[in-house]
Amino acid sequence: MTRRFLIGLATATALLAPTLASAGPTIDSIKQRGALRCAVNTGLLGFSAPDSTGKWTGIDADFCRAVAAAILGDPDKVQYVGTNAQNRFTVLQSGEVDMLSRNTTWTSSRDSTLGSVFAGVLFYDGQGFMVPKKLGVKSAKELDGATICVQPGTTTELNVSDYFRSRKMNFKPVVIAELNQIEQAFFAGRCDVYTTDISGLAATRLKAPNKDDYVILPEAISKEPLGPMVRRGDWEFFTIVKWTLFGLLEAEEMGVTKANVDAKKGEAGNNPPLQRLLGLSGDAGKGLGLDNDWMVRAIKAVGNYGEMYERNIGPLGIPRGLNAQWTQGGLMYAPPIR
């Protein structure tokens, strides 16, 4: 074996190494299938719900598009799988889907016992209560003895029990699994109160025959960090999902939008962080097993995080609050891309 051949072989191996090291079973499956399988809520406005044409809308649905664009180059190559609160983890564990992007709260038990892990926080929420205005209730502290509609298998169900027990108050649960059925029960007066994440309450309120007949009480009784979830152990895919989320946050901080991403490339000459975000320098893409345009594709597909928020959550009337950038008093913060 000649020295020239050995040098050539070593060079070829070095060039291939990043891609080979980053390939994982989920990514291989996605590429072979030509589509990302994403588990979503079947009908939660602002997060994931099919519109009149059957197109999935919402910030969770958009995040699926961003990941598909980063990996496959096409945001439309997503196969959405509608799930409820009970089967969402099973479809991920069984491999029926590649990721869960379904307004799911990050907790220690879910992160450690389900064979899956959270890849970050897409939306900071909290649990609240909604009541008919005619009841005259102004505070959750006035709900002793109330009948409360709640979905089983959720942190919501646990939180409401904790809240009432800690205040030595009583309530009668009305447990209903499907979202549309629990909403119908609440509007029909089968329960005095509907409790879930405040964003969910806002979405349900928009479906009311007259939304002004209902009021969301001021208390948030829990922390509900909602984020995407992937199977434990496939760390290559986990890393791509996590850094796609961070990249969308970084894009907002740097003012890169769906409309100006190409123009920003021409303005990145003296801005090293912007160069790295847009793949003009560094090797962030190679480290993920992708090319360096991965974030450009994601941004072109859905815009930056702020654009996703305004397009999907904005119509619910929920201010940015904790979901604002860290520079604006919020909690949204991306580690450096470098």
Side-chain angles (χ1 to χ4, degrees):
M1 194 175 293
T2 65
R3 183 173 181 275
R4 178 179 296 179
F5 178 78
L6 287 172
I7 293 173
L9 179 61
T11 302
T13 301
L15 288 172
L16 289 173
T19 300
L20 292 175
S22 298
T26 303
I27 299 170
D28 291 343
S29 177
I30 292 169
K31 289 183 175 178
Q32 188 175 22
R33 185 187 312 127
L36 170 74
R37 288 179 178 162
C38 215
V40 294
N41 197 313
T42 53
L44 182 62
L45 294 178
F47 288 83
S48 56
D51 64 14
S52 59
T53 67
K55 180 181 179 181
W56 286 88
T57 64
I59 196 168
D60 282 341
D62 271 356
F63 186 65
C64 299
R65 290 189 177 91
V67 174
I71 296 175
L72 297 170
D74 188 342
D76 292 328
K77 291 185 175 179
V78 179
Q79 295 175 359
Y80 293 99
V81 177
T83 59
N84 60 29
Q86 284 70 54
N87 69 8
R88 55 183 161 174
F89 303 121
T90 303
V91 297
L92 180 61
Q93 293 162 341
S94 67
E96 184 179 339
V97 300
D98 303 309
M99 60 182 281
L100 181 67
S101 186
R102 187 197 181 282
N103 61 298
T104 297
T105 301
W106 188 348
T107 71
S108 60
S109 60
R110 288 173 175 175
D111 220 17
S112 59
T113 66
L114 297 177
S116 307
V117 289
F118 285 85
V121 177
L122 184 62
F123 187 85
Y124 287 98
D125 212 334
Q127 184 175 336
F129 299 97
M130 182 162 63
V131 299
K133 188 178 291 183
K134 64 184 181 183
L135 294 182
V137 175
K138 303 297 182 185
S139 166
K141 299 173 184 175
E142 303 171 31
L143 295 179
D144 189 17
T147 302
I148 299 181
C149 281
V150 62
Q151 284 186 288
T154 61
T155 54
T156 305
E157 187 179 26
L158 304 175
N159 293 334
V160 70
S161 295
D162 288 347
Y163 181 81
F164 276 75
R165 186 185 307 116
S166 65
R167 285 160 180 77
K168 298 181 179 178
M169 294 163 55
N170 296 308
F171 75 101
K172 180 181 178 182
V174 177
V175 180
I176 301 173
E178 299 298 332
L179 176 62
N180 62 334
Q181 294 176 4
I182 200 169
E183 290 174 337
Q184 291 171 12
F186 174 63
F187 293 139
R190 285 184 56 195
C191 49
D192 305 314
V193 184
Y194 175 37
T195 184
T196 189
D197 295 345
I198 292 173
S199 62
L201 296 178
T204 293
R205 186 168 176 265
L206 291 179
K207 300 178 186 176
N210 183 357
K211 66 182 181 63
D212 292 332
D213 288 343
Y214 299 91
V215 59
I216 298 173
L217 301 180
E219 292 91 349
I221 68 168
S222 68
K223 296 181 289 186
E224 304 294 332
L226 313 179
M229 202 175 192
V230 301
R231 278 183 294 280
R232 177 180 291 276
D234 193 343
W235 304 118
E236 290 79 11
F237 183 57
F238 167 80
T239 306
I240 288 176
V241 173
K242 178 174 62 175
W243 280 96
T244 300
L245 172 57
F246 287 150
L248 296 173
L249 292 171
E250 185 86 344
E252 182 184 19
E253 183 177 342
M254 293 188 178
V256 181
T257 69
K258 185 175 183 177
N260 72 11
V261 59
D262 285 328
K264 284 289 184 181
K265 284 186 173 180
E267 302 169 9
N270 59 353
N271 188 332
L274 183 59
Q275 288 182 357
R276 291 191 289 270
L277 175 69
L278 300 180
L280 301 174
S281 66
D283 56 1
K286 285 185 178 179
L288 297 171
L290 303 172
D291 62 54
N292 259 10
D293 276 341
W294 62 289
M295 267 318 300
V296 171
R297 292 193 296 272
I299 296 167
K300 283 185 176 180
V302 299
N304 63 43
Y305 178 81
E307 292 178 280
M308 291 170 62
Y309 189 99
E310 294 306 322
R311 180 170 62 247
N312 297 303
I313 306 298
L316 301 180
I318 300 174
R320 288 289 295 267
L322 297 178
N323 295 293
Q325 287 279 330
W326 66 290
T327 53
Q328 303 297 318
L331 298 179
M332 288 303 184
Y333 182 104
I337 294 176
R338 65 181 313 148

